[in-house]
Amino acid sequence: MENFTPITGLIGGLLIGCAAVLTLWASGRIAGISGILSGLLFPHKTDTGWRALFIGGILIGAACFAWFNGGVTIEIQTSPGLTVIAGLLVGFGTRLGSGCTSGHGICGIGRLSRRSFTATATFMFVAIVTVYLTRHVLGGNL
Amino acid sequence: MKAATPTGANIALFLAGLLFGLGLAVSGMINPAKVIGFLDLAGAWDPTLILVMGGGLALTLPAFHFILKRPAPLYGQKFHLPTLTQIDGKLIAGASLFGVGWGIAGFCPGPALAALVTLNSSVLLFVAAMLAGMALHRLLLE
């Protein structure tokens, strides 16, 4: 567990929790990124501004961290072809399944939704199996 | 015609986005290698994601309970909550497809957006494909 970073993980989780609580308390909305983002793709006149502000906030929040931290580490080992396939699956799947890690995992479980418990257990399990297959069975030959 | 989002809600949603982006970056979830480190139970397992979700849920679980007892959010007429309650094939299929994509790339929608600030070409490719996947769902199934 040499990569385990419990303190920053917990602080980051609490910040995300604050964001979800602020969103529901102030606006009555669910802070689900896939839902908020997909609404921007085919915009409605009165339903675009708040989505753009939220997504803009995410970008500025991450940029602020990168600025103060002197950069941000990301490591990507996935080939471009697989990256495109993964992106398509994440985009299509989160719409078909009505949410992602934030909408189902943080907000849906937060309001004790059975659908969100089910979705979160499903995508966690499938992702763990996928990583096992790609990393240990196919041996990173993808 | 739907009413435009109140200004107070717009400001709160921007701040919430900011906190969300900051949380994703602070927690390290912006780095797909760290997410795959969590999903890879058979590898050098990194449990950080548990603390991120745990930190988020430690706030949303109690706070949502009280917020949803209120008649309306602070700004706006009503709560905008998901209306579906049944666990159906779409939920399971969608969560599964999302799980495969998440396992391949290590990106779910929030961290992928936040990682755009690195201007890394793989992130841009992933986000473009994710938006295409969302659009595909809209065009085929909505």
Short mmCIF file of all heavy atoms in Angstrom, two decimals, chain B residues 75-100:
data_model
loop_
_atom_site.label_atom_id
_atom_site.label_comp_id
_atom_site.label_asym_id
_atom_site.label_seq_id
_atom_site.Cartn_x
_atom_site.Cartn_y
_atom_site.Cartn_z
N TYR B 75 -32.80 28.41 -2.74
CA TYR B 75 -33.16 29.21 -3.91
C TYR B 75 -33.93 28.30 -4.87
O TYR B 75 -33.40 27.30 -5.32
CB TYR B 75 -31.92 29.76 -4.62
CG TYR B 75 -31.02 30.56 -3.72
CD1 TYR B 75 -29.84 30.00 -3.22
CD2 TYR B 75 -31.34 31.86 -3.35
CE1 TYR B 75 -29.02 30.72 -2.38
CE2 TYR B 75 -30.51 32.58 -2.51
CZ TYR B 75 -29.35 32.02 -2.03
OH TYR B 75 -28.54 32.72 -1.21
N GLY B 76 -35.16 28.67 -5.18
CA GLY B 76 -35.94 27.85 -6.12
C GLY B 76 -37.18 27.30 -5.45
O GLY B 76 -37.32 27.32 -4.22
N GLN B 77 -38.08 26.79 -6.28
CA GLN B 77 -39.40 26.37 -5.83
C GLN B 77 -39.41 24.96 -5.28
O GLN B 77 -40.19 24.62 -4.41
CB GLN B 77 -40.40 26.43 -7.00
CG GLN B 77 -40.37 27.75 -7.76
CD GLN B 77 -41.03 28.86 -6.98
OE1 GLN B 77 -42.12 28.68 -6.46
NE2 GLN B 77 -40.36 29.99 -6.85
N LYS B 78 -38.56 24.08 -5.87
CA LYS B 78 -38.67 22.67 -5.49
C LYS B 78 -37.33 21.96 -5.70
O LYS B 78 -36.43 22.47 -6.36
CB LYS B 78 -39.75 21.99 -6.33
CG LYS B 78 -39.49 22.02 -7.83
CD LYS B 78 -40.61 21.33 -8.57
CE LYS B 78 -40.47 21.40 -10.07
NZ LYS B 78 -39.38 20.66 -10.65
N PHE B 79 -37.26 20.76 -5.11
CA PHE B 79 -36.10 19.91 -5.34
C PHE B 79 -36.23 19.22 -6.70
O PHE B 79 -37.33 18.85 -7.10
CB PHE B 79 -35.99 18.86 -4.23
CG PHE B 79 -35.57 19.44 -2.92
CD1 PHE B 79 -36.51 19.68 -1.93
CD2 PHE B 79 -34.25 19.77 -2.68
CE1 PHE B 79 -36.12 20.24 -0.71
CE2 PHE B 79 -33.86 20.33 -1.47
CZ PHE B 79 -34.80 20.57 -0.48
N HIS B 80 -35.10 19.07 -7.39
CA HIS B 80 -35.09 18.39 -8.69
C HIS B 80 -34.47 17.01 -8.48
O HIS B 80 -33.26 16.83 -8.65
CB HIS B 80 -34.26 19.17 -9.71
CG HIS B 80 -34.68 20.60 -9.85
ND1 HIS B 80 -35.55 21.05 -10.81
CD2 HIS B 80 -34.36 21.71 -9.12
CE1 HIS B 80 -35.75 22.35 -10.68
NE2 HIS B 80 -35.03 22.77 -9.66
N LEU B 81 -35.27 16.06 -8.07
CA LEU B 81 -34.74 14.73 -7.75
C LEU B 81 -35.12 13.72 -8.83
O LEU B 81 -36.13 13.88 -9.51
CB LEU B 81 -35.29 14.26 -6.40
CG LEU B 81 -34.94 15.14 -5.21
CD1 LEU B 81 -35.61 14.62 -3.96
CD2 LEU B 81 -33.43 15.20 -5.02
N PRO B 82 -34.29 12.67 -8.98
CA PRO B 82 -34.64 11.62 -9.94
C PRO B 82 -36.00 11.01 -9.58
O PRO B 82 -36.33 10.86 -8.41
CB PRO B 82 -33.52 10.59 -9.77
CG PRO B 82 -32.39 11.33 -9.14
CD PRO B 82 -33.02 12.40 -8.31
N THR B 83 -36.76 10.69 -10.63
CA THR B 83 -38.12 10.18 -10.38
C THR B 83 -38.19 8.65 -10.49
O THR B 83 -39.14 8.05 -10.02
CB THR B 83 -39.12 10.78 -11.39
OG1 THR B 83 -38.57 10.64 -12.70
CG2 THR B 83 -39.35 12.25 -11.08
N LEU B 84 -37.18 8.04 -11.13
CA LEU B 84 -37.22 6.58 -11.29
C LEU B 84 -36.93 5.90 -9.95
O LEU B 84 -36.08 6.35 -9.19
CB LEU B 84 -36.17 6.13 -12.32
CG LEU B 84 -36.38 6.64 -13.74
CD1 LEU B 84 -35.19 6.26 -14.61
CD2 LEU B 84 -37.66 6.08 -14.33
N THR B 85 -37.63 4.82 -9.67
CA THR B 85 -37.37 4.08 -8.43
C THR B 85 -37.10 2.61 -8.67
O THR B 85 -36.56 1.92 -7.81
CB THR B 85 -38.58 4.19 -7.46
OG1 THR B 85 -39.74 3.76 -8.16
CG2 THR B 85 -38.77 5.61 -6.97
N GLN B 86 -37.49 2.10 -9.86
CA GLN B 86 -37.33 0.68 -10.13
C GLN B 86 -35.89 0.36 -10.57
O GLN B 86 -35.28 1.13 -11.31
CB GLN B 86 -38.28 0.24 -11.26
CG GLN B 86 -39.75 0.32 -10.89
CD GLN B 86 -40.10 -0.58 -9.71
OE1 GLN B 86 -39.73 -1.75 -9.70
NE2 GLN B 86 -40.77 -0.04 -8.70
N ILE B 87 -35.40 -0.78 -10.11
CA ILE B 87 -34.11 -1.27 -10.59
C ILE B 87 -34.38 -2.05 -11.87
O ILE B 87 -35.02 -3.10 -11.82
CB ILE B 87 -33.44 -2.14 -9.52
CG1 ILE B 87 -33.03 -1.25 -8.35
CG2 ILE B 87 -32.22 -2.87 -10.09
CD1 ILE B 87 -32.75 -1.98 -7.08
N ASP B 88 -33.97 -1.49 -13.01
CA ASP B 88 -34.31 -2.11 -14.29
C ASP B 88 -33.06 -2.47 -15.07
O ASP B 88 -31.93 -2.23 -14.63
CB ASP B 88 -35.25 -1.20 -15.10
CG ASP B 88 -34.67 0.20 -15.28
OD1 ASP B 88 -33.46 0.38 -15.04
OD2 ASP B 88 -35.43 1.10 -15.64
N GLY B 89 -33.29 -3.06 -16.25
CA GLY B 89 -32.18 -3.51 -17.09
C GLY B 89 -31.29 -2.37 -17.53
O GLY B 89 -30.07 -2.53 -17.64
N LYS B 90 -31.91 -1.21 -17.80
CA LYS B 90 -31.12 -0.05 -18.25
C LYS B 90 -30.11 0.37 -17.19
O LYS B 90 -28.97 0.71 -17.50
CB LYS B 90 -32.05 1.13 -18.53
CG LYS B 90 -32.72 1.11 -19.88
CD LYS B 90 -33.47 2.41 -20.07
CE LYS B 90 -34.11 2.48 -21.44
NZ LYS B 90 -34.84 3.76 -21.61
N LEU B 91 -30.55 0.37 -15.93
CA LEU B 91 -29.67 0.78 -14.83
C LEU B 91 -28.47 -0.16 -14.75
O LEU B 91 -27.31 0.28 -14.66
CB LEU B 91 -30.43 0.77 -13.50
CG LEU B 91 -29.64 1.24 -12.28
CD1 LEU B 91 -29.56 2.76 -12.25
CD2 LEU B 91 -30.25 0.74 -10.99
N ILE B 92 -28.76 -1.47 -14.79
CA ILE B 92 -27.68 -2.46 -14.67
C ILE B 92 -26.77 -2.43 -15.90
O ILE B 92 -25.54 -2.44 -15.77
CB ILE B 92 -28.28 -3.89 -14.51
CG1 ILE B 92 -29.26 -3.94 -13.33
CG2 ILE B 92 -27.17 -4.92 -14.36
CD1 ILE B 92 -28.63 -3.81 -11.97
N ALA B 93 -27.39 -2.37 -17.08
CA ALA B 93 -26.58 -2.36 -18.32
C ALA B 93 -25.73 -1.09 -18.38
O ALA B 93 -24.53 -1.15 -18.71
CB ALA B 93 -27.49 -2.45 -19.53
N GLY B 94 -26.33 0.04 -18.04
CA GLY B 94 -25.59 1.30 -18.08
C GLY B 94 -24.44 1.31 -17.09
O GLY B 94 -23.32 1.68 -17.43
N ALA B 95 -24.73 0.88 -15.85
CA ALA B 95 -23.68 0.85 -14.83
C ALA B 95 -22.56 -0.11 -15.24
O ALA B 95 -21.38 0.14 -14.97
CB ALA B 95 -24.27 0.46 -13.48
N SER B 96 -22.94 -1.21 -15.90
CA SER B 96 -21.92 -2.19 -16.33
C SER B 96 -21.03 -1.62 -17.43
O SER B 96 -19.80 -1.75 -17.37
CB SER B 96 -22.60 -3.47 -16.83
OG SER B 96 -23.37 -4.04 -15.81
N LEU B 97 -21.65 -0.99 -18.44
CA LEU B 97 -20.85 -0.38 -19.52
C LEU B 97 -19.93 0.68 -18.95
O LEU B 97 -18.74 0.76 -19.30
CB LEU B 97 -21.77 0.24 -20.59
CG LEU B 97 -22.62 -0.73 -21.40
CD1 LEU B 97 -23.56 0.05 -22.33
CD2 LEU B 97 -21.73 -1.66 -22.22
N PHE B 98 -20.47 1.50 -18.06
CA PHE B 98 -19.66 2.52 -17.40
C PHE B 98 -18.50 1.86 -16.65
O PHE B 98 -17.35 2.32 -16.72
CB PHE B 98 -20.55 3.35 -16.47
CG PHE B 98 -19.80 4.22 -15.47
CD1 PHE B 98 -18.65 4.90 -15.83
CD2 PHE B 98 -20.26 4.34 -14.17
CE1 PHE B 98 -17.96 5.70 -14.91
CE2 PHE B 98 -19.58 5.13 -13.25
CZ PHE B 98 -18.43 5.80 -13.61
N GLY B 99 -18.79 0.76 -15.95
CA GLY B 99 -17.76 0.06 -15.18
C GLY B 99 -16.62 -0.43 -16.06
O GLY B 99 -15.44 -0.34 -15.68
N VAL B 100 -16.95 -0.94 -17.25
CA VAL B 100 -15.91 -1.41 -18.17
C VAL B 100 -15.02 -0.23 -18.60
O VAL B 100 -13.78 -0.30 -18.54
CB VAL B 100 -16.52 -2.10 -19.42
CG1 VAL B 100 -15.43 -2.43 -20.44
CG2 VAL B 100 -17.27 -3.37 -19.02
#
